Amino acid sequence: MPRKQLEALQLERLKWVVDYCDRNVEAYHKKLSAAKVTSDKIKQLSDIKYIPFTTKADIRDTYPYGLFAVPLKKIVRIHASSGTTGKPTVVGYTRKDIDNWSDIVARICVAAGVTDEDVAQISFGYGLFTGALGLHYGLEKVGASVIPVSSGNTEKQAMILKDFGTTVLISTPSYAMYMSEVAKDTGIQLDELKLRIGMFGSEGCTPELRNRIEQGFGLFSTDNYGMSELMGPGVSGECQYRDGLHFAEDHFIPEIIDSETGEVLDKGETGELVITTITKEGIPMLRYRTRDISRLNYEPCRCGRTHVRMDKVKGRSDDMLKIRGVNVFPSQIESVLGNIEGISPHYQLVLTRSHFTDYLEVKVEFIDTNLLEHYGEIETLQKQIHAKLHTVLGIDAKISLVEPRSIERFAGKAKRIVDLRVFEKEIEK
């Protein structure tokens, strides 16, 4: 769709969703009234800046159904986040929402190269998590044969990859990496697999990790982006050129803001991604602060799609590590480690505090067990990692080389950060 026509559609739908929220969600009515915003005030797309932000706290404060815009009898599906930091964020879908969700997921599947000839293995955990069922419905809409194997039991996963002739793998990138290790351990050869496409999401994936996965499985890997608060997977996804993730702009309006001031940044600048849903009925979101750091590219893609593309998420504004005054994103560390030979892509970041000073320890697995007999080579590898991280981060980090397979693997999102600073702060008190 030409951008001028697309923006006219977005404006029409933005006015609708503002009025819809004002009439049907008490919490939004109060926010909009306080900001003196009505749908009539939205004359052009840039007027979106007058709408107050929505945060995850707003969803939790109205737990479980306070932000729903329709009665439960019109909700056909309920999902929720894991709730690891408090009450889960609960989201609901009308039948129309489910249809739209399937459509936008089908788009990113087709953009990645999936057809009705494919056999897709979904190795996300099924349940309240949106990832598995979101991809499931979209893949079925494309016509692919879906294997809902879920996560865990990795040896069986590897067996199914081979025996069922899986051509498309759906999982977190870290679990795909682990699965390739297990497949190799169980004697499965690369030429015995029919894998050709990997669609990975739910956590960040640096180009270096992606290369490792592609080498381990011999497939073409794409990223997709989404979160349950907005819809689930399908908000954006890569095409064959992997030059940014295409947004479903007829369903979502993305903005980039300064995380500190909340001001909208100019096109092409990097900042926090804010997204407004403009077709959702169950639980619409006005200017939802994702906390993800990215950038938007409005130039048409070589594939012909005209919708805006977002860069791979650089990190999260709330997950950013501050070490001795320096801002550090885990993705920066992962990129460095991914370019160093002799170590695995599995790592752990341990944060400690001593005498009111923060310290970072990077635990990395070496691959060759023969290094255990050659301390000098271990020391050389440690110095190499230390120097490269110092160049990128600008701080000193302790490098600990640990034995192969000693860092925990995860079937879902990998837990990379161990923050011991809160505990040690209490001791200092």
Side-chain angles (χ1 to χ4, degrees):
M1 182 180 286
R3 175 141 294 277
K4 189 173 182 180
Q5 186 179 344
L6 174 60
E7 290 180 349
L9 177 64
Q10 285 182 315
L11 179 58
E12 177 188 332
R13 290 181 171 179
L14 177 60
K15 291 169 70 71
W16 170 82
V17 77
V18 169
D19 180 63
Y20 182 71
C21 289
D22 196 16
R23 288 185 294 106
N24 295 292
V25 184
E26 181 62 25
Y28 272 133
H29 173 70
K30 290 178 179 178
K31 276 195 172 201
L32 292 168
S33 296
K36 298 181 180 179
V37 173
T38 65
S39 59
D40 292 336
K41 189 172 182 177
I42 309 298
K43 306 292 186 183
Q44 52 194 359
L45 280 179
S46 60
D47 290 339
I48 196 172
K49 65 186 177 184
Y50 299 120
I51 300 172
F53 293 117
T54 305
T55 67
K56 183 165 284 193
D58 291 319
I59 307 175
R60 289 191 173 128
D61 290 346
T62 55
Y63 173 88
Y65 305 133
L67 286 186
F68 282 24
V70 297
L72 278 180
K73 69 178 183 179
K74 292 189 176 181
I75 296 291
V76 299
R77 175 96 63 79
I78 294 173
H79 282 285
S81 70
S82 59
T84 54
T85 56
K87 291 278 190 180
T89 53
V90 181
V91 295
Y93 302 78
T94 65
R95 193 168 301 282
K96 183 178 179 182
D97 290 337
I98 294 293
D99 287 342
N100 285 338
W101 191 13
S102 302
D103 282 343
I104 62 175
V105 172
R107 286 185 198 176
I108 66 169
C109 293
V110 171
V114 179
T115 74
D116 57 4
E117 300 287 338
D118 279 301
V119 177
Q121 181 168 327
I122 299 181
S123 298
F124 276 141
Y126 279 73
L128 290 177
F129 171 60
T130 56
L133 282 169
L135 269 298
H136 187 126
Y137 275 59
L139 286 160
E140 283 189 342
K141 181 154 283 191
V142 173
S145 304
V146 178
I147 308 171
V149 68
S150 196
S151 59
N153 199 344
T154 310
E155 287 191 8
K156 185 176 181 181
Q157 297 262 6
M159 178 192 74
I160 289 174
L161 282 176
K162 174 188 171 185
D163 295 350
F164 287 29
T166 300
T167 59
V168 179
L169 177 61
I170 314 293
S171 73
T172 63
S174 57
Y175 190 46
M177 190 69 240
Y178 178 42
M179 207 184 300
S180 70
E181 292 177 349
V182 172
K184 185 177 179 180
D185 289 346
T186 55
I188 296 175
Q189 302 299 314
L190 203 56
D191 60 9
E192 294 181 284
L193 299 176
K194 294 183 179 179
L195 276 173
R196 66 184 197 89
I197 294 174
M199 294 187 64
F200 304 125
S202 189
E203 65 182 13
C205 182
T206 61
E208 292 77 16
L209 177 57
R210 182 177 69 194
N211 291 340
R212 294 272 189 113
I213 297 170
E214 290 185 335
Q215 291 166 12
F217 267 146
L219 49 70
F220 177 79
S221 165
T222 64
D223 278 359
N224 59 82
Y225 175 84
M227 52 180 60
S228 59
E229 299 93 316
L230 300 170
M231 184 71 88
V235 175
S236 65
E238 288 182 313
C239 69
Q240 60 185 342
Y241 292 106
R242 299 194 299 200
D243 189 17
L245 286 72
H246 292 272
F247 242 91
E249 279 194 278
D250 49 340
H251 294 277
F252 308 97
I253 297 177
E255 305 169 79
I256 297 293
I257 67 165
D258 182 308
S259 291
E260 298 294 328
T261 66
E263 293 297 314
V264 178
L265 298 178
D266 292 335
K267 287 183 178 181
E269 292 195 58
T270 297
E272 181 185 337
L273 180 64
V274 170
I275 300 176
T276 298
T277 65
I278 52 176
T279 58
K280 276 184 70 177
E281 296 179 335
I283 179 168
M285 287 284 121
L286 298 180
R287 301 193 82 199
Y288 184 73
R289 294 191 61 165
T290 68
R291 299 295 180 181
D292 288 326
I293 305 299
S294 186
R295 183 182 69 93
L296 298 175
N297 180 357
Y298 286 86
E299 293 297 319
C301 180
R302 286 175 287 168
C303 72
R305 292 174 176 83
T306 56
H307 290 199
V308 69
R309 287 166 286 154
M310 62 176 278
D311 285 357
K312 280 175 174 288
V313 172
K314 178 183 177 182
R316 288 180 57 81
S317 60
D318 53 357
D319 281 354
M320 181 180 68
L321 309 176
K322 195 137 188 166
I323 311 293
R324 299 191 292 281
V326 177
N327 296 336
V328 176
F329 289 103
S331 58
Q332 292 175 295
I333 297 173
E334 185 173 298
S335 292
V336 172
L337 299 178
N339 282 315
I340 298 175
E341 293 185 5
I343 59 175
S344 84
H346 303 284
Y347 64 93
Q348 190 175 69
L349 310 179
V350 182
L351 302 170
T352 56
R353 176 178 288 124
S354 179
H355 301 294
F356 306 100
T357 302
D358 291 336
Y359 295 93
L360 170 65
E361 177 185 7
V362 181
K363 291 185 176 181
V364 187
E365 292 179 352
F366 56 81
I367 296 173
D368 187 358
T369 55
N370 291 327
L371 282 181
L372 290 170
E373 301 174 7
H374 302 280
Y375 179 77
E377 293 182 24
I378 289 181
E379 192 174 25
T380 299
L381 185 54
Q382 282 178 320
K383 288 180 178 178
Q384 179 189 1
I385 298 170
H386 179 274
K388 291 193 175 182
L389 282 176
H390 186 271
T391 299
V392 173
L393 305 179
I395 61 171
D396 283 312
K398 177 184 176 182
I399 309 301
S400 297
L401 285 174
V402 299
E403 294 184 28
R405 306 297 178 89
S406 61
I407 292 177
E408 186 179 359
R409 273 44 167 175
F410 297 92
K413 291 184 180 181
K415 297 177 178 65
R416 305 288 196 195
I417 302 170
V418 179
D419 194 343
L420 303 176
R421 292 177 297 179
V422 175
F423 175 71
E424 293 180 1
K425 186 176 182 180
E426 293 301 319
I427 292 176
E428 286 174 356
K429 286 181 180 178

